[in-house]
Amino acid sequence: MLSPLVALEGRASAVRAAILVRNAVLITRGQVATQALRVQAVADENRTLRKLLGLSARLQDGFVAAELLPPRGAGDEFLLALAAGSDAGVQPFLPVVTADGLVGMVQSVDRATSFAITWAHPDFRVSAMSIDEGAFGIIQPHLGAGAERWLLEMRGVPFRAKLDPGTLLVSSGLGSTYPRGIPVGTVLGELSTPEKWARTYLVKPSVLPEAIGPVLVLLSSRAQRGVNGVWTTVNAADSAARAMAAAGDSLARAAAFDELSARRAALEAAADTLADSTLAFAPRRRVTTSDSVRGDSARARPDSAVRTRARPDSAKPRVIVPPAAPRTGPPPVLR
């Protein structure tokens, strides 16, 4: 009579054990996923810090490093709170940069904190140019809908200046805020606008929103000295690649010239050997002084024999004129 109850209790225990095992597996998976995300976040942060350290090493001085503070409210997605203020030398209208390029500009400063607008803020403007200095314009937020809201526009580009997609845009240095040479973005394509005398281009920012971490604030002294050579540009990489290719081409040309010279020397040596063997097996004849001189000159100029055989008049037979017949009769009388 108790066997059904015992079987039911056994099934319940098995179900309970299976549930406990599954819960343990789910907890373990969640812990592993959390640890993996933390490891990836730490790796990304380390990569960002290493790049920022490289940028600070190239700048050497004239900057203030600042950590990001939590935002003040939900409507401040285009503002950055920095853990550096006037006590550290931060002032309004100073550029804020990372290792990837331009982030924005300091707007207001307290003693221990400061607030900066990013490139997506409606008040953001920067005078920019193409990396080859072929086109100039003003970069501002795109103010589109959805994900396009985080893009930029380059307005006022002369109509004769056409930019290809992928062209790097940097700050032009016009004005007193942003020094020349800070990467701002890359061209995505041209936008259609009613303006027929100028072009407008859609630009992808160099610093993406999710990549904004610790930043550097460039002080006025550093901005006045400029930042030439601090950021590695595509143009510098292309020129380095072209220089390497030219060096490789010059080495290839030198190797080809050396090979050609070696072949020419080998052919000349073979020709000299053939000429010596031909003279060795030639039939011997009586050599006179004139013949020896002619032989020396012939050996000195082996092509003279060829020209002699090539002349058509050398093969003509000689015309022999017989001597005059002796006179008969009395000799002439001399008066």
Side-chain angles (χ1 to χ4, degrees), residues 3-331:
S3 58
L5 296 177
V6 173
L8 181 61
E9 184 180 1
R11 287 194 297 270
S13 300
V15 171
R16 188 182 303 108
I19 292 174
L20 293 176
V21 171
R22 179 172 177 78
N23 289 338
V25 171
L26 293 178
I27 292 173
T28 304
R29 288 181 178 177
Q31 292 176 352
V32 171
T34 304
Q35 292 177 0
L37 292 177
R38 289 177 180 175
V39 170
Q40 184 63 35
V42 170
D44 295 340
E45 185 178 1
N46 290 337
R47 188 181 304 108
T48 302
L49 291 176
R50 284 195 295 268
K51 293 169 64 176
L52 200 64
L53 286 174
L55 176 62
S56 62
R58 292 191 296 271
L59 287 171
Q60 296 183 355
D61 60 354
F63 62 90
V64 174
E67 290 281 347
L68 297 184
L69 298 177
R72 294 179 298 179
D76 297 335
E77 62 269 20
F78 304 136
L79 287 176
L80 296 178
L82 308 179
S86 58
D87 293 343
V90 179
Q91 301 174 358
F93 308 109
L94 293 181
V96 180
V97 299
T98 65
D100 296 327
L102 182 63
V103 175
M105 177 192 69
V106 177
Q107 188 180 48
S108 60
V109 180
D110 295 334
R111 290 192 58 186
T113 60
S114 59
F115 298 92
I117 62 173
T118 64
W119 40 260
H121 195 276
D123 297 336
F124 175 81
R125 299 291 187 278
V126 57
S127 175
M129 64 179 183
S130 60
I131 191 61
D132 58 355
E133 303 182 8
F136 287 78
I138 302 297
I139 291 183
Q140 63 186 45
H142 180 51
L143 302 180
E148 293 185 358
R149 177 63 183 83
W150 298 95
L151 297 178
L152 298 170
E153 292 181 4
M154 186 174 182
R155 292 181 170 271
V157 181
F159 191 79
R160 65 180 182 276
K162 184 174 179 58
L163 299 177
D164 297 328
T167 302
L168 179 63
L169 303 177
V170 298
S171 57
S172 64
L174 301 177
S176 58
T177 301
Y178 305 102
R180 184 187 185 96
I182 303 177
V184 181
T186 54
V187 176
L188 293 177
E190 185 176 357
L191 294 176
S192 178
T193 60
E195 301 175 352
K196 302 302 180 184
W197 59 90
R199 297 179 185 269
T200 301
Y201 290 95
L202 190 65
V203 178
K204 176 184 176 182
S206 297
V207 182
L208 300 179
E210 64 272 10
I212 299 178
V215 297
L216 299 182
V217 180
L218 300 182
L219 301 179
S220 300
S221 58
R222 182 64 200 187
Q224 293 175 1
R225 293 201 308 267
V227 292
N228 293 330
V230 174
W231 278 271
T232 304
T233 61
V234 176
N235 189 26
D238 290 343
S239 61
R242 286 194 295 268
M244 293 175 64
D249 293 341
S250 62
L251 291 176
R253 286 195 295 268
F257 181 77
D258 293 341
E259 183 180 359
L260 181 60
S261 300
R263 289 184 178 180
R264 183 177 300 172
L267 290 176
E268 291 177 355
D272 294 340
T273 305
L274 181 60
D276 294 340
S277 61
T278 303
L279 293 176
F281 288 99
R284 297 180 178 272
R285 62 186 181 86
R286 186 175 180 181
V287 179
T288 61
T289 304
S290 59
D291 292 338
S292 62
V293 174
R294 284 197 301 270
D296 294 339
S297 61
R299 282 194 299 272
R301 299 179 60 186
D303 56 344
S304 60
V306 177
R307 288 199 299 266
T308 304
R309 289 195 300 269
R311 290 191 310 185
D313 55 349
S314 61
K316 293 181 179 180
R318 294 183 179 181
V319 178
I320 300 174
V321 180
R327 291 186 178 183
T328 57

